[in-house]
Amino acid sequence: MTRRATKTHPGRPHAPIGNLAAHGILLAAASLALLPFVWMLLISVSSSADSTLAPRLAQVWPPDWRHYRAAWQSIPLARYYVNSLLVASAVALGQAATAVLAGYVFARLHFRGRDALFLIFLGTLLVPNEVTLLPAFLLMRWLGWIDRYQALIVPFLAYPTAIFLLRQFFLSVSSELEDAARIDGCSRVQVLWYLFVPLGRPAIAIVGLFSFIWAWKAFLWPLVVIQTPARYTIPVGLAALQSEMGTNWPLLMAAAALATVPALVLYVGTPRWLGEYTIVSVTEV
């Protein structure tokens, strides 16, 4: 057997060195991103009740896991979990459904004013949420939805970012596939359901995943429209824990660590092809 000769370029850096440098930069960036979470975990197992600064080794070893049990018992954290799961799941399903329908319309249907309407719709992303907070609250009060789950779900069933992502994906689908389906006698609804939805499952899953995490960590809007503690979501419940328990930071950090469990489960349970599609989508956008 003969080995093929490889051409070398004198002005180009060696590949392993470039890979090591890239991995080093990525490792440093990942370490900076994980630093707040590590800090949270260290404080949550600290034996000191006022560990607001970097905890010392004597405070975190051996770890004190009693704060997690105390956090679960101090507030109705299970109830907050149920509320957040209900709201986040409904928002994720609603945004995925509306994004599929609107994304297909903006990508594949041709009608007068389509592009202008899409630009206006996309322009709503430039409006800060604080500007629409008061009008949205007045609308919820007029509908009688204050202190109800509808106020946490219905206003967010459609979101421009989700529609934009699915529109971009549907634009990449070959028109020949759609023409073949129409020749076979499929209606618009059948083309959407049997062609675009199966092809767009990775994109739809990513939209649902992002929508779930966004709804899970929302704080300002639930704080404004929810008044009964039994209907609090987890972020609002954590704020109530801080006001009730004062400066017991290990207890608060333990509750915050428990609140991150669903997001970690979704991240670990996400198939590899979803992660690859996310990288490709972000790069294309």
Side-chain angles (χ1 to χ4, degrees):
M1 299 179 62
T2 58
R3 300 179 60 182
R4 298 179 60 184
T6 58
K7 296 181 179 180
T8 59
H9 300 275
R12 184 176 299 176
H14 201 259
I17 298 178
N19 291 336
L20 288 177
H23 284 81
I25 295 174
L26 292 176
L27 182 60
S31 301
L32 290 176
L34 289 176
L35 182 60
F37 298 97
V38 174
W39 199 306
M40 175 186 66
L41 292 176
L42 290 177
I43 294 179
S44 68
V45 297
S46 175
S47 59
S48 177
D50 56 352
S51 299
T52 57
L53 301 177
R56 296 186 297 272
L57 182 61
Q59 296 176 343
V60 300
W61 190 264
D64 189 358
W65 302 102
R66 294 177 299 173
H67 301 300
Y68 287 86
R69 180 183 301 177
W72 191 267
Q73 297 175 350
S74 299
I75 57 176
L77 197 58
R79 180 64 183 179
Y80 298 160
Y81 256 94
V82 173
N83 296 339
S84 294
L85 285 174
L86 174 64
V87 172
S89 300
V91 169
L93 291 175
Q95 287 193 13
T98 57
V100 167
L101 296 175
Y104 176 75
V105 169
F106 284 124
R108 313 303 296 198
L109 300 186
H110 300 279
F111 54 90
R112 182 177 299 178
R114 183 195 66 173
D115 296 337
L117 180 61
F118 178 73
L119 289 178
I120 295 174
F121 184 72
L122 198 62
T124 58
L125 290 174
L126 302 177
V127 181
N129 294 329
E130 291 77 9
V131 175
T132 61
L133 182 64
L134 181 58
F137 176 80
L138 296 177
L139 179 60
M140 295 300 105
R141 189 176 65 176
W142 180 73
L143 293 173
W145 288 355
I146 296 297
D147 203 24
R148 295 179 179 271
Y149 292 118
Q150 295 93 312
L152 300 177
I153 298 173
V154 176
F156 306 104
L157 291 181
Y159 198 66
T161 302
I163 296 173
F164 172 76
L165 290 177
L166 284 186
R167 173 186 177 270
Q168 296 304 109
F169 179 84
F170 290 156
L171 284 175
S172 66
V173 177
S174 175
S175 59
E176 297 177 356
L177 295 175
E178 184 178 7
D179 294 339
R182 296 301 302 273
I183 292 175
D184 289 339
C186 293
S187 63
R188 286 288 186 183
V189 177
Q190 290 174 328
V191 170
L192 172 62
W193 183 253
Y194 293 108
L195 179 61
F196 283 90
V197 170
L199 291 176
R201 280 183 298 180
I204 297 171
I206 289 297
V207 166
L209 180 63
F210 287 169
S211 302
F212 182 92
I213 295 177
W214 176 85
W216 180 269
K217 65 183 182 65
F219 173 73
L220 181 59
W221 180 249
L223 180 66
V224 171
V225 298
I226 298 299
Q227 302 171 353
T228 304
R231 295 189 177 93
Y232 282 171
T233 57
I234 281 188
V236 181
L238 293 182
L241 175 65
Q242 183 179 10
S243 62
E244 293 176 3
M245 305 307 298
T247 57
N248 193 337
W249 293 104
L251 185 64
L252 182 61
M253 293 298 103
L258 292 174
T260 61
V261 171
L264 293 176
V265 171
L266 286 176
Y267 175 77
V268 174
T270 300
R272 183 177 179 181
W273 53 270
L274 285 182
E276 294 174 352
Y277 175 79
T278 304
I279 297 175
V280 173
S281 299
V282 172
T283 304
E284 291 179 351
V285 173

